Amino acid sequence: MMVTQKQLKVSLLVWNLSTNDGFIRAYLLQKALIRLGYEVEIVGFLFGDELYKAIPPEVKVYAVKGCNYPAIFKSIYSILKKINGDIIYAIKPQAASFGVALLKKLYSKKPVILDIDDWELSWHGGDEWQYKPTVKQLARDLLKPDGALRSPNHPLYVKWMEKLVSCADAVTVHNKFLQQRFGGTFIPNGKDTVLFDPSRYNPEASRIRYGLSEYKILMFPGAPRPYKGLEDVLIALDKINQPDLRLVIVGGSPYDDYDKQLQQKWGRWIIKLPSYPADIMPDVVAAAHIVVVPQRDTLETRAQFPLKLTDGMSMSKPVLSTRVGDIPEILDGTGYLVEPASPEQIGEQIQLIFDDLELANERGRKSRERCVKKYSIEAMAANLKSVISQAEILNSKDQDILRDFQGADFDKTLWGVHPKISGVK
């Protein structure tokens, strides 16, 4: 284990702990930071009814109820008191993460690192999105209990947060698209290649365990969304029309009923497995013959590093994906690539892989070697080391300022910044 000269604490601030959107990246960063010898806490808001189900039991998080403005100010107050790291690491340029981190920095002078793992505005149309309401619409959005601007994750606030990226002491991103747009240090997602080690699992036993032993398995270990291209795989299976082929979807969508729509149209090809804890997922992925990551070419996918790639790579599986974003560079010849939204090419590659599965598995073994070298937690930690060291230096320089705050009244300091929440007890 790499250990820094002085152990500091890092507070990972997640905007929503109800879904994988934010938590998974924070979890990977936590693992990398622990490898570097730091104490790490994960804190954040809960904008759903319960914590994200796949949070490993050994990972402790501090969650505060998320809600709309102005009630969320009470939750912000609780979060601000809980954040006690020497370095604040905000996940995503959301008001409920980066905005809160900047507020904490105002009176604590703790350095803030911002991690950007998605282009948040891409979900709303990217640079084309604008908010130009009439006076009446603005009043409704602000004053009605269900007004759009009451939501902390409204795209207007995301746009404001993106304009404040330069206020962070350091920025990390996980792909080249985001680096070109926001700058910062490239920290690709890491995989626990010790846990995801194919030598520890028996594929045949896994297939029996999950009821898959009768089939040739194409596995998608993630949440289906239209831009992820599963329809293209299912159309390809229609064309091949080979009865022993199945697309196994692990986990399903926590966002909507899209996976049910797929099931209604292509149910004959689909096997649905539930969500599993992180420590069980390698055993599940072991059951696959092929891991499919058929991303379509959209604003969202160009800004993504699909974790499903390293699921397959680390487990030495043949990975079938598309030429979108960083995917060709991530695989670097160790997988199978087709053009996006091309069911015909997907079908051809599926047949090619199964015609010589031993050759495909050899390519899978090479993809694991690349994953260990470039996309393991250890590689992630090595890339992260200089960023955290820079933040340590900033923290050290701020010690005199910090001492000035030690005797300050927390409530008066906080309410001096945000008088609107002075009534919170």
Side-chain angles (χ1 to χ4, degrees):
M1 178 185 290
M2 294 174 286
V3 181
T4 57
Q5 291 181 346
K6 180 184 176 183
Q7 185 182 42
L8 296 183
K9 185 173 183 178
V10 180
S11 295
L12 287 163
L13 182 54
V14 181
W15 84 278
N16 187 7
L17 289 167
S18 300
T19 70
N20 64 350
D21 183 25
F23 171 77
I24 289 181
R25 178 67 169 174
Y27 176 54
L28 295 174
L29 287 167
Q30 181 190 43
K31 283 192 165 190
L33 289 165
I34 290 172
R35 292 285 203 282
L36 291 170
Y38 292 93
E39 182 184 354
V40 186
E41 65 178 6
I42 296 179
V43 298
F45 295 91
L46 197 66
F47 282 97
D49 295 328
E50 57 186 7
L51 289 170
Y52 174 49
K53 290 182 179 179
I55 294 178
E58 73 276 8
V59 176
K60 305 304 179 186
V61 301
Y62 178 83
V64 172
K65 181 64 178 176
C67 46
N68 285 345
Y69 294 115
I72 196 174
F73 286 125
K74 185 175 182 179
S75 296
I76 292 173
Y77 173 55
S78 298
I79 283 282
L80 287 170
K81 289 205 298 182
K82 178 62 180 178
I83 299 170
N84 54 24
D86 301 288
I87 299 166
I88 307 167
Y89 208 148
I91 310 300
K92 295 182 178 291
Q94 289 275 0
S97 53
F98 186 42
V100 173
L102 291 177
L103 179 57
K104 179 76 175 183
K105 181 181 178 179
L106 280 175
Y107 65 87
S108 73
K109 305 303 177 185
K110 298 291 180 67
V112 169
I113 303 172
L114 170 63
D115 182 73
I116 306 176
D117 70 335
D118 264 319
W119 184 25
E120 299 299 304
L121 277 180
S122 70
W123 310 107
H124 307 285
D127 291 324
E128 301 303 315
W129 184 88
Q130 295 184 33
Y131 181 67
K132 293 184 175 180
T134 62
V135 173
K136 185 180 290 187
Q137 183 63 50
L138 177 61
R140 283 198 296 264
D141 289 347
L142 281 171
L143 301 177
K144 291 186 67 176
D146 60 347
L149 291 178
R150 294 290 189 98
S151 171
N153 66 336
H154 189 279
L156 178 62
Y157 305 137
V158 174
K159 199 164 190 174
W160 289 354
M161 290 297 103
E162 288 190 357
K163 290 180 179 179
L164 293 174
V165 167
S166 61
C167 294
D169 297 291
V171 175
T172 56
V173 295
H174 80 156
N175 64 37
K176 299 297 176 61
F177 174 94
L178 294 170
Q179 189 176 44
Q180 290 171 3
R181 187 172 187 87
F182 298 106
T185 302
F186 180 47
I187 309 288
N189 284 322
K191 181 66 63 179
D192 186 340
T193 53
V194 175
L195 178 63
F196 281 76
D197 180 350
S199 68
R200 300 175 58 184
Y201 307 93
N202 184 314
E204 289 300 330
S206 292
R207 283 191 275 273
I208 292 170
R209 190 159 25 254
Y210 301 106
L212 307 175
S213 57
E214 299 177 14
Y215 307 109
K216 295 177 179 177
I217 301 301
L218 315 175
M219 185 173 286
F220 180 81
R225 304 293 291 272
Y227 63 80
K228 294 184 179 180
L230 291 184
E231 292 181 37
D232 301 324
V233 174
L234 292 163
I235 292 170
L237 292 180
D238 271 342
K239 292 178 180 294
I240 297 171
N241 197 28
Q242 188 172 321
D244 61 348
L245 289 173
R246 289 294 185 275
L247 173 63
V248 174
I249 300 173
V250 184
S253 174
Y255 311 105
D256 50 37
D257 64 347
Y258 180 64
D259 49 345
K260 293 181 181 178
Q261 296 175 36
L262 296 177
Q263 189 81 40
Q264 288 173 355
K265 188 169 183 179
W266 286 286
R268 63 177 294 209
W269 301 120
I270 296 173
I271 294 175
K272 177 77 164 47
L273 293 181
S275 296
Y276 294 95
D279 60 334
I280 302 297
M281 279 304 297
D283 186 55
V284 177
V285 177
H289 291 98
I290 305 171
V291 170
V292 291
V293 190
Q295 301 278 84
R296 289 180 172 173
D297 188 10
T298 67
L299 286 176
E300 298 93 337
T301 56
R302 289 174 212 159
Q304 290 186 334
F305 183 123
L307 286 167
K308 295 166 288 297
L309 288 175
T310 52
D311 284 348
M313 293 172 73
S314 60
M315 292 297 290
S316 296
K317 298 296 180 181
V319 176
L320 174 55
S321 192
T322 51
R323 296 183 180 91
V324 174
D326 285 3
I327 292 174
E329 183 177 348
I330 294 166
L331 289 171
D332 193 29
T334 66
Y336 294 80
L337 289 173
V338 300
E339 295 304 314
S342 180
E344 294 81 7
Q345 291 184 24
I346 289 174
E348 290 170 2
Q349 291 300 309
I350 291 171
Q351 291 177 308
L352 176 68
I353 290 169
F354 282 116
D355 283 346
D356 195 342
L357 193 55
E358 181 51 43
L359 178 64
N361 287 334
E362 177 57 32
R363 191 177 292 192
R365 286 187 280 273
K366 290 180 179 178
S367 73
R368 173 172 169 80
E369 292 174 4
R370 179 167 176 77
C371 188
V372 170
K373 182 179 179 181
K374 294 282 190 178
Y375 306 113
S376 63
I377 293 294
E378 288 72 21
M380 191 180 192
N383 292 330
L384 192 57
K385 189 174 183 180
S386 63
V387 178
I388 300 298
S389 296
Q390 177 185 348
E392 279 191 76
I393 293 169
L394 288 167
N395 183 73
S396 178
K397 288 180 177 179
D398 284 334
Q399 289 307 304
D400 288 340
I401 302 173
L402 290 171
R403 279 192 290 271
D404 291 340
F405 279 83
Q406 287 176 354
D409 184 290
F410 178 85
D411 289 346
K412 289 180 181 178
T413 304
L414 177 58
W415 305 144
V417 177
H418 264 278
K420 287 185 178 180
I421 51 176
S422 58
V424 177
K425 303 295 185 183

